[in-house]
Amino acid sequence: MSDHDRTESSRSMSRRRFLGSVGAGAMAIGAGGALRAPAGRAASTASNGHAHQHAGLTTHFGRIFERMRPFADPRKRGLEAALVELGSPGGILDAGDQLERGPVQLITDPALSAHNPDNPTHTAGTTFFGQFMDHDMTFDLASPLGRPADPSRSQNGRTPSFDLDSVYGAGPVGSAQLYDPADRAKLKVGSGGLFEDVPRMPDGTAIIGDPRNDEHVVIAGLHAAFLLFHNRVVDRLRAGRETDAVALYAEARRLSTWHYQWLILHEFLPQFVGQALVDDVLRRGRRFYRPAKGRASIPVEFQGAAYRFGHSMVRPSYRANLAGDGGKPFFGLIFDTSQPLGPDPGDLRGGFRAARRFIGWQTFFDFGDGEVKRNKRIDTRVSTPLFHLPLGAIASHSGPTVLPVRTLLRQVTWSLPSGQALCRRMGVPGLGAADLGELKAFGLGLERSTPLWYYVLKEAELVADGLHLGPVGGRIVAEVVIGLLQADPYSYLAYDPRWRPSLPAHSQGDFRMTDFLTLARVDPTSRGQ
């Protein structure tokens, strides 16, 4: 075994142990773990008086559309081989990025984006906020790739709500390792690099509520921003003469979570699906996803297909910051498995702390300084580095290491219906076989009965020019995201829909991601990033 393999194996074993220690706790949020109701409003509380029990939350996956045939018989000869070929390096989905040109040119030379175009309506950070949302509501613990499984018997390791359990774990009592021992109202923050980091074990393993939030530098940086945001809110409350640690923690968590939910509904969901669809669902209600209040589950049509549209938005490379690499910008491929692990690899994989491995957020969100970069469009082109994942970026630390292959096999795992069948069920116009003619060569009729994930990407490409999701993918994503907020009795949308953000914002009555980062003090003006 090479030094590279030994290092990777050691990290994988350590992360598996930590996953076991925090995953179970994250699934059963009890005393100290969840939100407290605002003063003056009743809530079911645990014995310590500051948390409600999540006993009603569903811990398994579900479906929106029952009694629908899968897009293909899983026993059909040649199906698995066709899906693997469709998702393999050099295949139809591979954007063919010229990685040999290096990470700097891939983000600065417009000519290199001709076959993998940018999205002028998104900034680069939209991808990673969407990934953070995913890790906050869903964690498939054990379902098999490419073999049919029953969603109702497959565990979801996250609470199916936007409650930041990926950050708070089971609270100061149940997840003490996540909290500052000197101030139990605050979350533990790591140090040792140029700026703050998530806390880590000596081998680099992140001590966080969801190990997937250390897959790469950007998501780890976003997780660190949430830690700092909560702690800044604690400071503000304490300055207002609130001194009880239990009350401070509960109120800071409520405020942090509600501002996060505001960002989801008012900034990011409109970018995913279009503002018109968000308005329609809020005004006319959900047509298909209708969980009972307090009994939501994550449907597999969402988890396994529609919400995985974000894979298409990932750039091959990013400028992580403007001054971290010896005073110069730090550019890196999102993943580059040809890079040696070392203590500070040249790509943006997670699991390492070094002076340059932090995020300068003006690349990812628009602070008005002209430095922001864009997402890729939502289409059937996936950036080439995602066809070569490091094992550390896969929660199970097992293959296949080709992300599109994993996602396509997931269509079989959940026996998902075709995109065309959902069009008929939902009563919306669908794509024709000619629109999906590239699938005809597989000889399996996939152009007429298309795997849902691929259909969602193609629909966005042809119907919405890749700027946001189309009618099938968009409807699923909009209804589930809004439905999760409405079904959680402790979300601001269900508990007090007239609530408005109370923390400082540039626009009165609004609150944007740049305001979030500014309050967390990770914005470029406070860091010189």
Side-chain angles (χ1 to χ4, degrees), residues 102-301:
V104 176
Q105 288 192 47
L106 283 169
I107 197 171
T108 60
D109 186 349
L112 297 184
S113 293
H115 298 291
N116 192 9
D118 291 348
N119 186 338
T121 68
H122 287 192
T123 67
T126 301
T127 298
F128 303 107
F129 194 93
Q131 184 180 17
F132 184 91
M133 287 170 55
D134 176 72
H135 293 178
D136 190 40
M137 60 177 157
T138 176
F139 194 168
D140 185 356
L141 293 172
S143 68
L145 278 176
R147 288 187 289 123
D150 182 354
S152 67
R153 297 187 178 183
S154 299
Q155 282 191 308
N156 179 11
R158 297 257 69 85
T159 55
S161 59
F162 297 109
D163 63 354
L164 290 178
D165 71 315
S166 59
V167 173
Y168 294 105
V173 176
S175 298
Q177 75 278 9
L178 304 180
Y179 291 82
D180 184 347
D183 187 346
R184 301 300 287 174
K186 289 188 172 183
L187 289 152
K188 187 183 296 181
V189 179
S191 61
L194 187 59
F195 293 119
E196 293 94 338
D197 185 19
V198 297
R200 298 185 182 276
M201 296 178 182
D203 74 341
T205 299
I207 306 171
I208 52 179
D210 192 317
R212 297 173 300 168
N213 280 355
D214 195 34
E215 288 176 359
H216 51 75
V217 174
V218 189
I219 197 69
L222 187 54
H223 191 104
F226 272 87
L227 303 178
L228 290 162
F229 184 88
H230 170 90
N231 291 351
R232 305 300 185 205
V233 174
V234 169
D235 290 339
R236 291 177 64 86
L237 294 171
R238 188 169 277 145
R241 299 186 180 180
E242 173 64 82
T243 58
D244 178 72
V246 170
L248 274 171
Y249 165 75
E251 182 63 5
R253 179 169 181 178
R254 183 187 70 83
L255 280 172
S256 298
T257 303
W258 281 14
H259 282 77
Y260 160 62
Q261 292 169 350
W262 178 273
L263 290 173
I264 290 171
L265 188 59
H266 291 271
E267 183 167 358
F268 291 98
L269 184 58
Q271 293 184 52
F272 299 161
V273 306
Q275 186 65 57
L277 183 52
V278 174
D279 294 341
D280 180 78
V281 174
L282 289 173
R283 184 173 59 254
R284 300 185 181 182
R286 290 171 278 115
R287 296 167 51 199
F288 305 105
Y289 180 63
R290 295 181 175 178
K293 182 162 285 193
R295 298 295 300 173
S297 65
I298 301 295
V300 291
E301 299 94 335

Side-chain angles (χ1 to χ4, degrees), residues 354-375:
R356 67 177 180 173
R357 304 187 83 76
F358 68 93
I359 297 303
W361 291 107
Q362 67 267 57
T363 292
F364 297 88
F365 297 102
D366 191 355
F367 287 89
D369 58 4
E371 296 291 353
V372 71
K373 301 300 180 185
R374 299 292 167 183
N375 262 349

